[in-house]
């Protein structure tokens, strides 16, 4: 009897979606981050395209290294940006906060730390182990 009740409780609990309020919170946060990264990316690209940066021969080496670092950062930010866009898309579709692998709910505390998590903790760990 206790087991049946527990199962019931568990099932109800696992089907529970994020509340509208929680979704709005994540949506606003994601959009804010998206804007921030987009602004930063734009500025960075403008800087990289600005030929005035190369002042004299001696600066070339350090600029090359600078650009290399910038490119890494740019790529990283572009990756984050696409993750954010994917999350926003998921919010629109109503699948946000659901693990892409096992389709279980992702812990809300985890989402708060990393808003564009696509996997729950155990799937993430599995993936990390494999790579
Ligand atoms: Zn999972």
């Amino acid at each position: 009897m206790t087991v049946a009740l527990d199962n019931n409780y568990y099932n109800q609990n696992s089907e529970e979606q994020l509340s509208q309020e929680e979704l709005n919170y994540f949506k606003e946060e994601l959009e804010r981050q998206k804007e921030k990264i987009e602004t930063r990316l734009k500025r960075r690209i403008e800087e990289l395209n600005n030929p005035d940066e190369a002042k004299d021969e001696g600066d070339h080496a350090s600029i090359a290294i600078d650009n290399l670092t910038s490119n890494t950062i740019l790529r990283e930010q572009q990756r984050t940006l696409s993750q954010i866009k994917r999350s926003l898309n998921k919010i629109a579709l109503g699948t946000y906060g659901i693990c892409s692998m096992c389709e279980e709910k992702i812990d809300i505390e985890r989402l708060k730390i990393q808003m564009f998590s696509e996997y729950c903790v155990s799937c993430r760990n599995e993936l990390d182990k494999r790579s």
Side-chain angles (χ1 to χ4, degrees), residues 54-70:
K55 287 180 192 106
D56 57 58
E57 287 295 312
D59 275 347
H60 276 318
S62 67
I63 285 167
I65 292 166
D66 251 26
N67 284 350
L68 199 71
T69 316
S70 297

Side-chain angles (χ1 to χ4, degrees), residues 15-20 23 27 86-99 103-105:
E15 280 166 23
E16 193 191 311
Q17 300 291 316
L18 290 170
S19 72
Q20 198 53 48
L23 277 177
K27 194 169 176 246
R86 212 150 49 210
S87 295
L88 283 168
N89 199 32
K90 280 183 170 187
I91 288 178
L93 291 170
T95 56
Y96 179 72
I98 295 165
C99 176
E103 296 183 355
E104 284 289 329
K105 231 178 89 179

Side-chain angles (χ1 to χ4, degrees), residues 4-59:
L5 272 174
D6 281 346
N7 273 343
N8 236 341
Y9 176 76
Y10 177 77
N11 284 339
Q12 275 177 4
N13 216 24
S14 67
E15 280 166 23
E16 193 191 311
Q17 300 291 316
L18 290 170
S19 72
Q20 198 53 48
E21 210 178 313
E22 285 162 341
L23 277 177
N24 285 341
Y25 163 81
F26 285 117
K27 194 169 176 246
E28 273 174 34
E29 282 297 314
L30 284 162
E31 268 165 1
R32 207 161 52 199
Q33 280 199 22
K34 181 171 159 262
E35 226 167 278
K36 220 162 70 181
I37 293 175
E38 276 173 347
T39 314
R40 212 181 297 155
L41 276 177
K42 228 178 95 187
R43 206 183 307 145
R44 212 70 195 100
I45 289 164
E46 275 167 14
E47 275 173 23
L48 288 174
N49 289 336
N50 189 357
D52 293 340
E53 298 264 308
K55 287 180 192 106
D56 57 58
E57 287 295 312
D59 275 347

